[in-house]
Amino acid sequence: MRILILCTGNRCRSQMAHGILKYLCPSIEVHSAGVRPATEVHPLAIQVMSEIGIDISQHYPKSVDQYLNQTWNYVITVCGGARENCPVFNGTVANRLHIGFDDPDAFTGSPEELLTEFRRVRDEIYKELQKFAKILES
């Protein structure tokens, strides 16, 4: 089973989803990428993931271009930008799925408010991917 998770920058949501899905389904091959990749994974994404025991500190943003000729069981978009700008895959994509989440990086506020927003989005991603993992297991 091969799953690709797409976001615009591959900086927050797709990185958190990548870590969570790999944690929930360790035998599945999971990758994440962006249609316009950022230069680094957001430090708060790394922090809030470590709070739940998932280490994404070695992750880095990648371009979707490197995955276009590969075969995927699922390509999952986690933001509207990636959904709207999802490129054409030359390889086989068995299933396309959109599970959208707010962009915690777009939120403005105090450091504590930002951290709260990242935790909220992380928890939403976890909840939705738990449901998805149950579908994969059945």
Side-chain angles (χ1 to χ4, degrees), residues 6 72-77 83 86-98:
L6 292 180
W72 301 99
N73 297 94
Y74 286 90
V75 171
I76 303 171
T77 53
R83 182 181 190 187
C86 192
V88 174
F89 282 78
N90 298 323
T92 302
V93 176
N95 301 283
R96 290 178 187 262
L97 183 61
H98 178 72

Side-chain angles (χ1 to χ4, degrees), residues 55-122:
D55 182 10
I56 63 168
S57 64
Q58 300 304 307
H59 288 204
Y60 59 92
K62 295 170 281 313
S63 173
V64 68
D65 294 346
Q66 72 186 73
Y67 298 109
L68 294 178
N69 295 316
Q70 298 180 24
T71 298
W72 301 99
N73 297 94
Y74 286 90
V75 171
I76 303 171
T77 53
V78 293
C79 74
R83 182 181 190 187
E84 293 165 10
N85 298 301
C86 192
V88 174
F89 282 78
N90 298 323
T92 302
V93 176
N95 301 283
R96 290 178 187 262
L97 183 61
H98 178 72
I99 310 173
F101 303 100
D102 293 336
D103 183 0
D105 198 17
F107 188 78
T108 57
S110 70
E112 187 56 41
E113 289 170 327
L114 291 173
L115 191 55
T116 297
E117 184 70 4
F118 270 82
R119 288 176 177 142
R120 179 187 67 80
V121 173
R122 175 207 59 204

Side-chain angles (χ1 to χ4, degrees), residues 10-76:
N10 194 216
R11 176 169 162 83
C12 298
R13 293 165 286 185
S14 55
Q15 293 287 356
M16 290 192 285
H18 177 169
I20 289 167
L21 190 56
K22 189 64 182 171
Y23 173 79
L24 293 171
C25 304
S27 64
I28 292 175
E29 184 179 342
V30 181
H31 297 270
S32 64
V35 294
R36 290 188 307 277
T39 57
E40 66 177 2
V41 175
H42 197 292
L44 288 178
I46 294 169
Q47 180 181 335
V48 300
M49 292 298 290
S50 71
E51 291 173 357
I52 61 168
I54 299 174
D55 182 10
I56 63 168
S57 64
Q58 300 304 307
H59 288 204
Y60 59 92
K62 295 170 281 313
S63 173
V64 68
D65 294 346
Q66 72 186 73
Y67 298 109
L68 294 178
N69 295 316
Q70 298 180 24
T71 298
W72 301 99
N73 297 94
Y74 286 90
V75 171
I76 303 171

